[in-house]
Amino acid sequence: MVKKLNKNRWLWEFSKRVVLICTALFVIGDVYSMAVMLLYENFDSLGTFIDCNTQVLRDCVFAYMVKSGLENIFKIRGGNEE
């Protein structure tokens, strides 16, 4: 039972870390691309980059929300406290 709890906790922590990493990469990517484009004074692809970068973050957060929602449904039905 303890081993199962540790595995579930690790999985929960892992998915949280993935979302945090996606968010950090989103911010770092946007700031870096803006700095490079400012340096070269060429902003032609900034909009496209931000749109693509935003889509990756949106998908990551949506997947995390679905995972959390399903976990909550199973916890409620199973009567789990953890």
Side-chain angles (χ1 to χ4, degrees):
M1 180 75 172
V2 173
K3 192 172 192 175
K4 184 180 178 185
L5 288 176
N6 287 339
K7 185 178 180 181
N8 288 342
R9 188 174 187 160
W10 178 85
L11 182 61
W12 184 76
E13 291 294 327
F14 177 75
S15 60
K16 249 178 140 174
R17 288 180 184 143
V18 169
V19 172
L20 288 174
I21 289 169
C22 282
T23 304
L25 289 174
F26 171 78
V27 172
I28 291 168
D30 279 356
V31 170
Y32 177 75
S33 66
M34 287 181 211
V36 169
M37 290 179 194
L38 183 64
L39 180 67
Y40 289 106
E41 297 177 1
N42 183 2
F43 298 98
D44 294 339
S45 59
L46 181 61
T48 304
F49 177 77
I50 289 175
D51 287 342
C52 291
N53 204 14
T54 302
Q55 184 63 40
V56 171
L57 182 66
R58 187 179 312 139
D59 292 345
C60 178
V61 171
F62 178 74
Y64 180 74
M65 288 173 51
V66 169
K67 177 201 159 285
S68 297
L70 290 173
E71 279 181 351
N72 288 337
I73 289 171
F74 286 116
K75 284 179 185 177
I76 291 170
R77 285 190 181 167
N80 260 348
E81 293 294 323
E82 183 85 17

